[in-house]
Amino acid sequence: MKTLVTGSDGFIGKNISADEWIGRNVDFVNFESVYGAISSLSGIERIVHCAGKHGSSIEMTKDHTSYIRTNFLCDENLLRTAAKLSIPTVAMISSITCLPSNNKDVFDEGDLFIGNVNDMVLGYAVSKRMTISLCRAYYKDFGINAVPIVLGNCYGRHGKFHKDSTIIHKLIYDIDVAMTRSEDIYLSGDGNDVRTFLFAEDLGEILSDILSRSREGNPVIVSSPQQVSIKEV
């Protein structure tokens, strides 16, 4: 089964094997650009859509309208292209950021719309929640097996290692800087907050298994069941 990955120059895209990749040379907010790039490829039977606007935890606290507008257009243009080209199966990468902002320990797919998202990252979180609704709509209207993948905290090769990155990449960066400079490292908080993590290179096999079955446009949370405290990390 011939697979295309979009956003091939990003963290997730670089960790997924495929037969074809399209990335920075495609303007995903422009339908003609997306359609032209994908229609030029032959035999594509499924797409893993990783392209979109993302940022560090600091960057996502501003430009909320830009995140909503950009990610909606990226997702809608991709699904519209899949429908027009009769590509039957599409995995759409969403994020656990779209989950409600509350203190529940364990979430499942039924919790995705039961509360408001984190207001600090409103634009990005809303855009990732919209992905779920778009997939359901394209399944209902066009029969596409469009699966929103609500992705947990990913880490691994090709990650962005800097002071404002996600937790594991940030810790590796901070420790490396401290060792290079022979300095102490200072970490804020008590380390008791917990996260679940997913090694990015495992994602390709997981997606292949999910996409082998029809999900009828319904989301799948992909994350480790093991909770780990920041102190343990």
Side-chain angles (χ1 to χ4, degrees):
M1 184 170 290
K2 195 170 183 180
T3 301
L4 165 70
V5 170
T6 71
S8 58
D9 50 350
F11 168 48
I12 299 299
K14 286 179 179 178
N15 279 285
I16 300 176
S17 297
D19 302 290
E20 301 280 1
W21 288 266
I22 56 173
R24 193 168 297 173
N25 59 321
V26 177
D27 179 7
F28 285 95
V29 301
N30 181 286
F31 172 72
E32 284 73 21
S33 178
V34 177
Y35 179 77
I38 297 178
S39 63
S40 69
L41 305 172
S42 62
I44 298 298
E45 297 174 86
R46 64 184 184 183
I47 300 173
V48 178
H49 182 49
C50 305
K53 183 176 175 62
H54 191 274
S56 70
S57 56
I58 302 298
E59 291 169 337
M60 290 192 295
T61 60
K62 55 188 177 182
D63 296 330
H64 300 286
T65 52
S66 177
Y67 279 102
I68 293 173
R69 182 186 307 112
T70 301
N71 284 333
F72 176 81
L73 288 172
C74 286
D75 290 353
E76 208 278 330
N77 286 336
L78 189 283
L79 286 167
R80 183 180 167 193
T81 294
K84 191 168 182 178
L85 295 175
S86 300
I87 297 172
T89 302
V90 182
M92 304 285 288
I93 301 299
S94 183
S95 165
I96 59 170
T97 310
C98 73
L99 285 164
S101 179
N102 61 40
N103 296 320
K104 186 174 180 180
D105 288 335
V106 179
F107 289 94
D108 61 35
E109 288 82 358
D111 297 319
L112 285 165
F113 290 93
I114 62 172
N116 295 325
V117 297
N118 184 348
D119 194 62
M120 291 289 292
V121 291
L122 176 71
Y124 179 74
V126 167
S127 75
K128 295 292 100 176
R129 187 174 277 191
M130 290 167 68
T131 301
I132 298 169
S133 298
L134 267 175
C135 287
R136 181 64 177 165
Y138 267 84
Y139 167 76
K140 289 174 71 68
D141 287 347
F142 302 101
I144 294 176
N145 183 29
V147 186
I149 304 296
V150 183
L151 200 59
N153 297 282
C154 257
Y155 71 96
R157 293 193 304 164
H158 309 298
K160 295 180 179 180
F161 296 90
H162 57 74
K163 62 183 178 64
D164 295 324
S165 188
T166 53
I167 184 66
I168 290 184
H169 296 144
K170 170 181 165 53
L171 285 172
I172 291 172
Y173 171 85
D174 288 341
I175 292 168
D176 179 65
V177 169
M179 292 177 67
T180 300
R181 298 176 180 174
S182 298
E183 297 175 348
D184 290 335
I185 183 170
Y186 296 93
L187 305 174
S188 58
D190 59 15
N192 290 327
D193 284 351
V194 296
R195 300 285 189 277
T196 61
F197 296 99
L198 177 67
F199 187 48
E201 288 182 34
D202 292 335
L203 187 56
E205 185 176 347
I206 293 169
L207 290 177
S208 182
D209 180 62
I210 291 171
L211 294 179
S212 67
R213 300 183 296 274
S214 175
R215 292 289 306 175
E216 299 184 350
N218 293 313
V220 180
I221 295 176
V222 176
S223 187
S224 168
Q226 180 183 7
Q227 293 187 334
V228 183
S229 73
I230 304 303
K231 187 183 296 184
E232 289 176 293
V233 173

